[in-house]
Every structure is written in C-alpha cells, then in structure tokens.
Amino acid sequence: MNKIIFKAFLAAFLLLGNVANLKAQEISAMQAPQVVSPEVGPDNAVTFRVLSETANSVTINGSWMGFGKTLPLTKGEQGVWSITIEPLASSMYHYNFFVDGVAAIDPTNPHALRDGTRYASLLMVPGEGAELFQMNDTPHGNMSQVWYDSPSLDAYRRMYVYTPPGYESGQESYPVLYLLHGGGGDEDAWTSLGRANLILDNLIAQGKAKPMIIVMTNGNAWQTSTLRQKPGLPPITRESYVQFQGQFEKSLVEDVIPFIEKHYRVKANKDSRAIAGLSMGGGHTITASITYPGTFGYIGVFSSGIFNQNENMDEIEKKFLALKASGVSKYWVACGVDDFVMESNKRLLDVLKKTNFEHEYYENEGGHTWANWREYLSLFAPMLF
Amino acid sequence: MNKIIFKAFLAAFLLLGNVANLKAQEISAMQAPQVVSPEVGPDNAVTFRVLSETANSVTINGSWMGFGKTLPLTKGEQGVWSITIEPLASSMYHYNFFVDGVAAIDPTNPHALRDGTRYASLLMVPGEGAELFQMNDTPHGNMSQVWYDSPSLDAYRRMYVYTPPGYESGQESYPVLYLLHGGGGDEDAWTSLGRANLILDNLIAQGKAKPMIIVMTNGNAWQTSTLRQKPGLPPITRESYVQFQGQFEKSLVEDVIPFIEKHYRVKANKDSRAIAGLSMGGGHTITASITYPGTFGYIGVFSSGIFNQNENMDEIEKKFLALKASGVSKYWVACGVDDFVMESNKRLLDVLKKTNFEHEYYENEGGHTWANWREYLSLFAPMLF
C-alpha cells in the first residue's frame, strides 16, 4: 500500500495540482531550465548563458579574472546571452553576472556560495585540480554550528566545528586546528568559500592528513554570528575593528579552547593544537601565538604579516623569542607574489629570520584569493600533528 | 603589542592596499552600499531599490504575492529603481528581482536563503508575527550536518540534527521530532526556509515547547545530500520519484531512527517519537506511520493527504485502525483553504473520521507556502511530549 499512496500522491503532485498554487520551489525542481549554464566543455572551456530578451548588456565577473574586471556576453537567438571563455584549469571558481549593471547569481545554476555579504555562483571545473575541493565518495566528517559563551567578549557566540569521520562512533581523542577567516568573512567562510571540511575529508581519505577536529570561529569580535542569521546588524566600520582589537585573540584562547577541550574528545596539549588564519585571521594568528606562547605547537600564517613600518621591533622580537622557546613544531608562512600584503609578509619573514625562528615559507602565484587559501590549507594540514 | 600589530594591520587592510588586488569580499564588507534595500518603514510599508542606469524593466516577486506574479519598479534619479509596497504583516518573507527578466537576489541585501534550486532574498518585517522566526537573545540549540549509513538505500547520506540548548553540557535524554520536507526541497529546507531551529529556540525559551531533538533528513531517496554540496547531479525527474517510492520511509524507520538512538541521548520509545512533514513529506509521514505502527506517538500532516480517488480504501482503513490501536497521542492535520491539495487533505480527514481516529484539524488562510508550514510547526511543536 505504501506504493499506492505514494504513486497517487505523485500523480497529484506532478500532474493534477493547480500550477499557480504550487510552491515555486517545487516547480523549479520539476522543470528543466530554459538554458544550460555553466557548461564545461571537454577541453575545460566554459560557456555561460542567461536568458533575457530585453537586457541592454550582460557581463560576467569570475574569480579567475580578478576583482572588478568583466567580460561581455553576446545576445543570440531567442534572447539567450552567452560567452565561452578559454579553458580553465581544473579547480573551483565562483562568478556573477551583471544584467544591465545589476549583480546576479546565475539563475540556472543551483550551486551558490556566500562571499561575505554577497552571493556568487559556484563553478567546478572537474579534474585533478578540483578533486580536493569536491565532495567525493569518501567518508565525511560532520559539521556543526555550535554556540558557546564568551566571557571575554561578554557574548554568546557561534562557531563551526568539523569532527573527522569516525569521531562520533569512536573513543579516540583528536588534535585540533583553530582556523581563522579574514576581514569581511565570518564563521561560515572557511566552509562556504574555503571548503575546509571537504579538503580535510579528502586529505584524510588519502592518508595525507591525520584525522583532526577543525574549529572555525567568528573572528569579528563585535559579532555573535554570521550576518545571514541576524538581519538588521549595522554595517562593519573601521571603528568596529579598532574598538575590538586584541579581544578576539583573548576570547579564542581563554574561552574557545577551554570550551572545545571540555566538550570534545581532544588531545589537550600544545603539540596537538594548531592555529592558522588568512589575512586578518593571519594577524589574529600572529597575535594569539605570541601573546600566549606555549599554547600552539603549529602555526600557519596565510597572506598576512606585521605591517607597521614604525613598529617597536625590539618588543616584537622578544615575543617571538619567547614563542620560539616555548617549542613550536612548525611555523609556516604562505603568500602569493601578487598579494598586496607582500611587503608586510616580508616583515614577518624578517622577524622570523632575525630571531632564528625555524620556519618554512611558501610563495606561489596570485594574490589575496580563496584559490590561494584553499591551496594553503591543503599544504598546511598534512604537516600537522 | 597586540594593539600595535592589530592597528597596523588595519591600516594596511583599510587604507594602503591596492584595491584592485583586494578580495571582493573584503571590499563589500567595508563599503556602504549605493542604495538601501529593503527598507521597512515605521508602518511596515517596504521599499525595495536596485541600481541600474540601463535596464529596460525591473520587477519584483515576493512570497506575499504568490507565485508568478510581479510588480514593476519605477526608475528614478541616478538610475535607482524602486517600489514601495503596502504595509506587510510582521513576518518573514522572501523575494526576487527580475532585471530585464533575469531573476536576481537583491544585490544590497546580504540576507538570502535557498529555496530548492533557487536563491531568494530574505525580508523580515519586525514585530510580533516575526519574533518566532528571528534569532532572538535566547539560548540557541546547535545545528549539525550529520552523515550516516543507510543500508536500506545503499547510500551514505546527510541529515541535519538540532540539539536543544543544554544538550551538550547536560546528561538528560530528550524526545525526538522527525521533520520532513516537501518535493523540491532537501535536508536544508526546514532550516533555510523553515527556520525550524529558531522556532524551537524561541518556543523552548518561552516555555511553550519541551526541549527536543529535531532530525531533518533528506526525503529524496535518490539523493545523498543537498544539491549545493554536489554539483553535477542530474535534474530530478518523475522517474526518480517513482523509482524510489516507499524506500525513504523504510530508511527513515530502519536506518535513521536506530542511528539517532545510538548516537544521541534520546528517549527511545513511541511516546517520545514524533513525525511531521509537509506536502511530499506529509505523504512520507502518512506512509511511515501506517507502515510502522507503534513507532510514532505524535503525527503531524501538513498540506498533504491521500490522493488517489481509486485507492483501495478498505486496506487503508485497516492500516489506520492498526495505527490507532498502537496508541497515538496526537494526530494533527493542517491545511490552507486555498491549497491545491485540499481535496486530498479532505480524503485523509475522511479516513480519520471513518476509523474514529481521534485527531485535530487546523485550517487557515493561504495555500501551499512556507509561511503556513512555519506556522504549523509553531503550533505542532507545543503539543508534543
């Protein structure tokens, strides 16, 4: 009888319903889109299409192009605008259309991701370079949105916690990576744009990284959680950053770490604690590690540095010497050659050299992009624990 | 020194960087948008704005208008298109612009939600009717994406699990609500569009619902997880539905429930198990409950029914009598007067009456909408356990 009820239900659902009354969601799930976009060709050339009979101009910006650049789509038959771009390397990208100047996600692409306060459409160009960022047929770790009290910030805050495959069904204790986002991001960034959970799923499945817990906090000390959950927040200002300076690092070490070590099966010692962050999160990483020496045994600074030319370098060097004395297994620095933070990144490297702080430096192409930060995580995670 | 590094970092971040090289995310987080949209007036009239100097037409569709209807925006000074609509009741809504016919989320509204394969912009009109769907200053339950093996479907699948405030720090065992989405949705729907986690946070904080675990599975038996996580899946077809009929209910009862009862602190008995679902998920609820009598003590059928006019009603009635004999504390049926499933909903009510199955029926305005399903959950959850 299950069968009969279900078939009957389907008949009504698919055929007999008053279409004007159907939920848009259900219609969109049932109807083939009018155009196909994006379409990846056998040579990895990509065609984007969007339907508009009346638009005056349609352009596209993609993460492979750099910020602010656009390419025009051409209007063809029946109002379908399209562009085929040169083959892209196998990887993960995102893009937006601009229809008469209005930013739009691709209406026929169901895969989108949040980029700070904007949404963009996801493009996966399959192949070797994309496999680490895809959901493959491997065991997957669980992802949780976890609320915790932060006495340091006098706030009730949200973080994302990745537990590796096997955590829930086993008894083992795990090391922890504290992974920090950059300016304009929030606790959602490392999984939406960064795909940290899928990168670790894949690295662990390949035996390239040890199973670990990843804790992705919200690094904006004035926020309790991502924008998406709380409409009506005032926009971020420079004053917000300055007002809360240094407080996030305190809350990370004094509130978050004790919470994690109380509620999860973790190895609670320096050599089982790593910290890494990008851009502003790299700044947080530098500050947290030198302010609390002996806390983290593994440190990763992605696309960041120490910036102020007039810094009291003597004092900084003392702090780095104390950190070094506490015993750091790995200090890893990474930056793209075109990154606008390169100068300050070099100042960090200078301090490390001057203090004879054993470290590794990885420099690659590109600038201040998630493509680089996904790569840095892919390289850093296998060095841990 | 934290201060110095951080301030220096900020200076570089905000002022010294090469803007063309900055991440778009960071720029968008720092810049005031060029227009404000949506803007809710003191009387709850709402103004929507979008900037385009060259568009020929801009329209809007909102969830308060019904599917397929649009209203035109008017072009004003400096290319800002706008419309002010009549005051809306305090509640949660979503909407899309159409720029020369191309669906777009509101580019200046950072709050969007996924509606099946589409994205829409979120509009909260504050006030009493919206409070239950907002993130208020209450304790929050955690939300987890949890992977599990489903031998019944021969698949490794993902579900969302809400654990109520206090679960992680306590020792108590909790009752469980299994909450099912409709056609075109997936395991993300009840939190993205349905806000089930926030509704429960708020009801629990008000003392109106008992703390409970909510398990939100993916009701599409051919899927392992939401579209967003796995690009390249073929579109859903009628064949997909028919091929897998009845199998989801089997996997729910034989795979999901044992998994939950093994991995969470739950009260593992009929009187601590509830099931509810909307539309297709209402069909799943009916089928699962009559196929496995004695499993669920609380049953909620939202906007659904038994559809086939040629159904073998004798057999169905026998099943309902067996379910009744197993002991059901609450059978709750809800439907909107304008819903296209009303006829089949009435057939469900007929079966309940004919079998003298004690039940409650709630009929309200509107049709097959998430506004109704959020309301139904708000009414159903306080009846449980």
Side-chain angles (χ1 to χ4, degrees), chain B residues 145-162:
Chain B
Q145 299 174 352
V146 176
W147 290 87
Y148 67 100
D149 269 317
S150 173
S152 300
L153 298 175
D154 192 22
Y156 181 51
R157 309 186 80 228
R158 194 175 73 163
M159 59 187 161
Y160 280 40
V161 178
Y162 167 89

Side-chain angles (χ1 to χ4, degrees), chain B residues 10-201:
Chain B
L10 267 174
F13 178 67
L14 297 173
L15 302 173
L16 307 177
N18 171 356
V19 167
N21 230 338
L22 260 177
K23 189 72 198 61
Q25 175 181 332
E26 293 170 345
I27 292 173
S28 69
M30 293 296 155
Q31 288 180 331
Q34 294 181 273
V35 298
V36 174
S37 179
E39 184 178 10
V40 181
D43 61 348
N44 284 359
V46 187
T47 302
F48 301 90
R49 298 182 183 92
V50 62
L51 175 68
S52 175
E53 294 194 4
T54 59
N56 288 306
S57 85
V58 181
T59 62
I60 186 172
N61 168 263
S63 59
W64 59 92
M65 294 163 57
F67 181 72
K69 294 172 189 163
T70 58
L71 286 172
L73 278 71
T74 305
K75 190 174 182 178
E77 283 178 20
Q78 296 177 310
V80 177
W81 297 70
S82 69
I83 185 172
T84 300
I85 61 169
E86 296 291 303
L88 289 175
S90 295
S91 190
M92 171 178 163
Y93 304 92
H94 57 275
Y95 64 98
N96 283 94
F97 289 137
F98 296 88
V99 181
D100 286 324
V102 179
I105 55 175
D106 185 340
T108 57
N109 179 353
H111 309 292
L113 48 77
R114 193 165 66 89
D115 181 5
T117 56
R118 308 179 319 147
Y119 283 76
S121 293
L122 173 67
L123 169 65
M124 292 296 281
V125 178
E128 200 183 335
E131 281 163 7
L132 209 55
F133 315 127
Q134 289 170 177
M135 180 175 283
N136 297 312
D137 288 335
T138 66
H140 301 305
N142 290 343
M143 278 292 307
S144 296
Q145 299 174 352
V146 176
W147 290 87
Y148 67 100
D149 269 317
S150 173
S152 300
L153 298 175
D154 192 22
Y156 181 51
R157 309 186 80 228
R158 194 175 73 163
M159 59 187 161
Y160 280 40
V161 178
Y162 167 89
T163 45
Y167 176 89
E168 280 74 15
S169 55
Q171 294 299 324
E172 201 183 330
S173 290
Y174 293 85
V176 185
L177 166 62
Y178 294 87
L179 187 59
L180 312 178
H181 63 80
D186 54 45
E187 77 272 25
D188 191 45
W190 261 114
T191 48
S192 178
L193 285 148
R195 298 217 151 190
N197 52 328
L198 298 183
I199 290 171
L200 264 289
D201 282 351

